[in-house]
Structure formats: structure tokens, C-alpha cells
Amino acid sequence: MTQPPESWRKRHGSWPFADENLAKLTVPSPWKVECFMDTFNLDTPHMVAFLSNDLPLTDMIPSEGELHAILWIIGSRILYVQYQYHRIIPITLVSAAGYRLRITQGYIDQGQLFVRMTPIVDFTVGEKEKWDDFVQALCWVVGNPVGVTT
């Protein structure tokens, strides 16, 4: 797994996911987390994960894999004491099944799970034919975290 920059480790210690909590999500099953993106910024607990799924996605209904990944990643993040002052830990999934993709975001607030999804985009024809959708998905991945989480 990716390690944080040396300057981050000197200030905050080991990476919060150096243990095996998140590695369990990368084990092949009908769905699998392919990789994680972390800014290593304790002020923004947001995390992005890329989820591949052998099962078809259903419009506006989260898959079991998406729900499991959201809950597991939030739980793993909370285990790291330096993130425990955050009330909300948003998780963004780039969820793909074959050439079909959507962005799913989830968080827990006051004991309730909230999940939001974009419509499914079918990239069978290629990203050039669906360029606007491709750029929008890319913005979700590379955008800066926003929102109050404490």
C-alpha cells in the first residue's frame, strides 16, 4: 500500500492504514477495492477508493459491495486516533462494473448512513463519446475535499 510523504510521517507517525484494516477490502470477491487515494491531511478525513464489481450496477441503488466498502473504510479511518475528532468522514467510491461507472459517496452522521450516487454512465462506446461524463467523474477523483467534518 502507498505510504505518506516522509514529512507527514515525522509529524504524525505511521500511516493510519499501515495495518491490515483496509487491505481486507482488496481481496477478490464479486467486488474488490482496487486502490485508495488519501491526501494524508488530518483536517480532511475524506478518502477515495476505486471499486470494481463483477455484479451489474443498478441505477440509484447502492450495491452490497459499495455499502460494505463505505462502512469498512469509515470504520478503519475512525480507528486512527488523529481522525477521531471528525464527526463526518466522507468516502467517495469510483464504482465500476465492466464499462459502467458511477460515483458513490457515503458518510455516517449521528448514527445514520447517508449514501448519494451519480447516475450510471456506460462507457462501452469509449470515453471520447462520453467526454463530459468522463470529465465529471475525473473531477470527483481529483477535486479538493470540501465541507465541515468536525
Side-chain angles (χ1 to χ4, degrees):
M1 299 187 107
T2 307
Q3 291 296 311
E6 184 64 28
S7 59
W8 195 93
R9 287 196 304 269
K10 284 180 181 176
R11 283 193 314 256
H12 307 292
S14 66
W15 187 36
F17 306 113
D19 59 37
E20 296 300 312
N21 287 326
L22 290 179
K24 293 175 184 176
L25 291 175
T26 64
V27 175
S29 66
W31 56 271
K32 171 186 168 187
V33 174
E34 299 291 341
C35 69
F36 301 95
M37 290 178 62
D38 190 356
T39 61
F40 302 109
N41 182 343
L42 295 176
D43 294 328
T44 56
H46 306 61
M47 182 172 265
V48 176
F50 294 84
L51 183 74
S52 63
N53 203 336
D54 290 339
L55 304 172
L57 297 173
T58 305
D59 262 328
M60 306 318 290
I61 298 175
S63 71
E64 177 184 339
E66 289 170 319
L67 293 174
H68 187 92
I70 289 167
L71 292 171
W72 194 273
I73 296 167
I74 290 171
S76 297
R77 195 69 140 179
I78 288 289
L79 290 176
Y80 193 60
V81 69
Q82 290 164 314
Y83 283 113
Q84 290 178 359
Y85 71 94
H86 290 281
R87 194 183 87 227
I88 297 171
I89 297 179
I91 305 302
T92 301
L93 301 176
V94 179
S95 190
Y99 290 101
R100 294 169 49 97
L101 178 134
R102 75 168 160 217
I103 306 297
T104 303
Q105 188 174 62
Y107 63 93
I108 295 175
D109 188 13
Q110 298 181 354
Q112 186 174 355
L113 175 64
F114 293 88
V115 178
R116 295 186 174 94
M117 293 164 276
T118 65
I120 296 169
V121 179
D122 191 340
F123 285 105
T124 305
V125 296
E127 74 277 358
K128 289 181 181 178
E129 295 294 321
K130 299 274 190 158
W131 187 251
D132 289 342
D133 293 323
F134 178 76
V135 170
Q136 183 179 23
L138 191 59
C139 287
W140 277 95
V141 174
V142 299
N144 291 325
V146 297
V148 177
T149 60
T150 54

